[in-house]
Amino acid sequence: MLNVAPEQDILNPPAPSVGVEQAEAALVEHYPRLVRLAYLVLPPSLGRNRRVVTAHAIVQRSLPRGRGGTGDGPDDGLIPGARQAEADGDPGYVYVRRRVVRQALEAGLPLRRKAWPKRAQFPPLLPQVWGLRLFPRSGGADELALDQRLSALSGPARAAYVLRGLERLGDDEVCAELNAAGVTEARLALAEADTTESQAGLLESAEFDPCSLQARPTDLMRRRQHSRAALAAVAALVVCGALIGLPGDGWGPDGAAAPPYAQNPVAQAALDPGHLLRVEPTAWTTATRTDFSVWPARGGLLGDSGLLRRALAVWARPGESVQVSATPGTPSGPPMGAPQLLFASDVDRARVVLLYDGLRVARYAEPRDGTAGAALDFARVDAADAASASALVVGRTDGNVRYLTAPWVHQASVRDLLTPDASARPLHRDKDGVTDPIVSPAQARQCTSWEALEFHDDSGVRLVTDLGELAPARLTWGPSYDPRDVGDRSARTGWARTACLLPTVRSHGVRSVNNWQFAQQALPENNGTADWICTRAETWRGAGSRVFAQFQAPSAKLAPGAIAARAENSAACGVREAQVLAGVLWKSRGGNWFVLAAGSEQVSSVTLSGGTTGSGRGNLLAVRAKEGARAELNGRLADGSPISTLH
């Protein structure tokens, strides 16, 4: 639950003591977020590989040592009034988070002769990865700039910035966390953090996700030199094994497989430009499927066999200089057979090739004057339909993006989501279906506008937006069991107040984002009517959906809604569980505070407990409260089953 004015504050019940089981449950449930927190607080001077491994090690050793108490020292007690939206006030999470912050700060301390070193100051014993360097996927220019600014901060200031941006903590709560972690000048750390521009949305990007990694080999020459001494022993073991002999076919026969040096015809065909699949321009008009498999091959470089050969070769075995990126859950290995050619042409200052293998779209781009700086991007697009296969990104330059539209798109236009009453403006496309460049909202530093695309086809008008990936995300409106395209003013107004919250799901493999107005509430003291919106982002891979509930108070300027609660990998507001419950602490124009709660139509009663109490029948509740009040919100459905707030 959220405090909407004058500052946001989440309502939580008093925190009980924490046992091992409770802390372990919180660690397992929120492991990805805790590792991200540790990665961001750790000093960048460690290098990305050691930061990744150390972040995992810190989180994995953050459980209490005893089974009856909360930990091994006085610093392990809970913070009074600690809050965390994703953990929904779970004291186990607050406890583990404190341990993580303390160890991450200790890892950045220099070793001193007269002081006993901390465990976090040494390279972790576990986990260990041999022969590989691990690092998160590369982000954009904004993420790189933010990482450089964070590296210039001190450890406590960096922790303050991350706790305030990633964990959504207020200044007093950040100070409490820092004091608990051993920081003596918490206010100075906050002041230093204030010198860096707040970009909380970027902290949740793939650039800072140590749970979604890329791998590269370590120094191969050094490894070769170090391994020469061990080769003799390995050779001796192999010879001894051969002399001893084993019954049957040995340790593990390859059966009918060809020798390792044999060339597989199918694998060779996948690297031959002459075997690329090319669909006829009119195939989509008679096909039973309407997805990327019926896109015709388009572009001015379809006959450039050298370019196509390089694209296929890089896909099969990208070199160290190739920048490879993939959406979450998308494999980046070579194609299983000859892929389908979708596009090959010059786009701005690059040569671009789009390929499709039935599961993924691969985009290969190289400079016009050579191959240095080539890039290879992957996006999972299986089970696409006419709406989700309406366009693909072919180029990004100077904060702008170009799309290749589907052959069934008759007309393209641009609509600013922040101005719902303004008309869409036409968007020009060339003969191949490539659009003129438009501003990419996914790369913008500030949310002063949000340009989405409208595609007109025989089925209607589709609204899509760029979220930093190859395939744009479709935007819809309505309940999960009957989402519809954004066509009327109420839908556009709801999206006008949601658009600036979309960076929270950027670069997450999102297929579609749906806005559902699950309740409207008349505010106390004649303050107008508020809308309760549930926003659900579905992914191409199925798992990893993100959900957040919004409170949209009356606003003449269509200000962004306030996120009251959020969840990941939740069925709430979806086809499987079309129900939700959320609450906020709200201040009226008269200066009075109220706890407001709302649920979907299936909710038959709502109850508040803890610091503020109250109950009511139906799916709405408004209870007079004090500033900073905290409470636990629960409800019951019409069939009597309980429902808790989104978390």
Side-chain angles (χ1 to χ4, degrees), residues 92-113:
Y93 176 85
V94 176
Y95 168 78
V96 175
R97 181 180 65 194
R98 171 174 293 180
R99 301 264 301 181
V100 168
V101 172
R102 171 181 281 274
Q103 294 180 79
L105 290 174
E106 290 175 348
L109 298 175
L111 292 172
R112 303 182 184 277
R113 292 183 177 180

Side-chain angles (χ1 to χ4, degrees), residues 594-608:
F594 293 85
V595 174
L596 304 179
S600 52
E601 61 182 2
Q602 303 94 330
V603 177
S604 61
S605 64
V606 181
T607 303
L608 282 174

Side-chain angles (χ1 to χ4, degrees), residues 27 46 75 84 91 141 149 235 259 392 398 470 496 534 577 583 589 615:
L27 186 150
L46 294 178
D75 60 299
Q84 210 287 328
R149 290 194 294 270
L392 289 172
D398 301 328
L470 283 179
C534 189
E577 192 176 304
R589 288 192 296 265
S615 63

Side-chain angles (χ1 to χ4, degrees), residues 21 121 136 177 202 224 271 292 300 318 423 443 483 536 584 604 611:
E21 293 80 4
Q121 294 176 272
E177 287 285 310
L202 293 180
R224 183 180 301 175
L271 301 177
F292 295 106
S423 300
Q443 303 177 48
R536 181 178 178 88
V584 296
S604 61

